[in-house]
Amino acid sequence: MSQGKRAFFFPGQGSQTVGMLGDMIGSEALVSSTFFEASEVLGYDLLDLIANGPEEELNRTEKTQPAILAASVALWRLWQEKQGAMPDFFAGHSLGEYSALVAANVIHFKDAIKLVETRGRLMQSAVPVGEGAMAAIIGLEDADVIAACAVSGDEVCEAVNFNAPGQVVIAGTAKGVDIAMAAAKEKGAKRALPLSVSAPSHCALMRPAAEQLATELSMIDWRVPSRPIIQNVDALAHSDVEILRTNLVEQLYRPVQWVRSVQFAAQEGVVWAAECGPGKVLSGLVKRIDKSIAVSALEQPDGFAQALTDSQG
């Protein structure tokens, strides 16, 4: 490990489950106290929602985003408390970029909780439930997915998450996504799977939400990050606050370049990364993108303990 760099990757929407981080919440006071802190900001019991659901409520965009952010920051705080090795880079997948900003001391946790709740509401108000959709296209080259989206004609449909080789998410109007899914199957996609989301992220339909989000972002304190943050929109590491903020706004309606982000980390010498948040989605993606990066998931006590050892190398 002394020859390589480390990164912390924070997951985005879709990694939430009822009961997530249950073992950590039960055994680590710092984890539960982070959820209590978030609850004070939100005005409802976030810990109860995470522990008991209902799932439909947790999956509402404006509830999902604070829940994942709080879970991710809780694990980051615990990592610091346990004196885990510090990373050279931070990165987050979509929503996870806000967790990365908190970890890098760019924005305060309480500000971030308010921001992502607002972000979720803005996203949902931009496209009423049922009018937008997202789908995962499995087994096609990126260019073929983009071509399938073009078939949708006047309907909005775009390739929005380049998650791994052969795994691209599309988003747009419900009709546009249906047309593109059919076109993708005709082009030989192994699967075209509708995603259970309430708003179509990272496509042109989110531009009105992005304009309002820009106003919200301008009203909070920003600081220079403790470590560079690899951002979604350009897959480059940034420490300039103005660039970070601009990219965060554009992230709402531009694609998540996750493949390129992981490749950039590898090119910069990252050999070990932690998935700091609920689930193991990013761990699976990173292994598919670049096997030279070892990934540890922090959501369970045994995995967390192993990661502390692995990070020291």
Side-chain angles (χ1 to χ4, degrees):
M1 183 62 68
S2 60
Q3 300 301 314
K5 295 178 181 178
R6 306 173 185 87
F8 260 56
F9 295 149
F10 297 89
Q13 211 160 325
S15 290
Q16 75 278 2
T17 56
V18 174
M20 64 184 183
L21 266 62
D23 291 340
M24 284 295 199
I25 292 167
S27 61
E28 299 287 352
L30 184 57
V31 174
S32 55
S33 69
T34 300
F35 285 110
F36 292 141
E37 189 179 342
S39 297
E40 289 180 0
V41 175
L42 295 166
Y44 61 86
D45 191 338
L46 182 61
L47 194 54
D48 180 67
L49 175 62
I50 288 169
N52 302 310
E55 185 177 2
E56 302 76 35
E57 186 73 6
L58 180 60
N59 286 345
R60 284 175 52 193
T61 299
E62 70 273 19
K63 297 290 179 70
T64 305
Q65 298 200 24
I68 292 177
L69 175 75
S72 300
V73 171
L75 291 175
W76 168 247
R77 288 175 169 179
L78 185 63
W79 184 263
Q80 293 176 292
E81 183 181 73
K82 303 287 188 185
Q83 299 184 324
M86 289 296 100
D88 299 280
F89 295 97
F90 293 105
H93 187 286
S94 187
L95 165 70
E97 211 162 85
Y98 289 81
S99 304
L101 289 165
V102 174
N105 296 321
V106 178
I107 58 178
H108 292 287
F109 175 58
K110 289 184 177 181
D111 286 337
I113 286 289
K114 291 177 187 174
L115 269 177
V116 298
E117 182 186 39
T118 301
R119 179 179 183 262
R121 286 178 177 157
L122 292 173
M123 290 168 67
Q124 197 61 76
S125 64
V127 183
V129 175
E131 292 186 16
M134 299 181 76
I137 308 300
I138 310 297
L140 276 188
E141 297 289 330
D142 292 355
D144 288 329
V145 177
I146 293 169
C149 291
V151 175
S152 58
D154 292 339
E155 296 290 334
V156 174
C157 186
E158 302 166 21
V160 297
N161 289 4
F162 295 94
N163 286 335
Q167 183 178 330
V168 179
V169 173
I170 62 175
T173 62
K175 185 176 180 180
V177 170
D178 281 343
I179 294 169
M181 287 172 65
K185 289 175 182 175
E186 288 179 8
K187 289 179 179 292
K190 292 178 182 176
R191 301 177 79 182
L193 305 170
L195 300 180
S196 179
V197 296
S198 58
S201 306
H202 308 296
C203 70
L205 297 174
M206 289 294 114
R207 279 185 177 271
E211 292 171 7
Q212 296 174 73
L213 182 65
T215 301
E216 298 291 332
L217 292 173
S218 69
M219 295 168 63
I220 63 168
D221 292 328
W222 288 69
R223 292 164 293 179
V224 175
S226 60
R227 301 286 191 279
I229 298 171
I230 304 169
Q231 289 196 281
N232 290 186
V233 298
D234 59 8
L236 297 173
H238 297 289
S239 293
D240 183 279
V241 168
E242 285 304 314
I243 294 173
L244 288 168
R245 189 159 48 202
T246 297
N247 284 347
L248 209 60
V249 173
E250 293 186 6
Q251 186 221 67
L252 261 192
Y253 60 84
R254 288 179 59 187
V256 173
Q257 301 289 352
W258 189 249
V259 172
R260 287 172 47 201
S261 295
V262 174
Q263 290 171 339
F264 175 86
Q267 290 162 8
E268 290 295 306
V270 171
V271 298
W272 180 86
E275 179 169 6
C276 189
K280 298 181 179 180
V281 171
L282 298 185
S283 299
L285 295 180
V286 172
K287 288 172 185 174
R288 291 180 58 188
I289 296 167
D290 195 316
K291 290 185 172 58
S292 71
I293 300 178
V295 192
S296 301
L298 304 186
E299 63 167 351
Q300 297 290 344
D302 55 349
F304 193 101
Q306 186 61 50
L308 286 170
T309 301
D310 292 346
S311 70
Q312 301 293 343

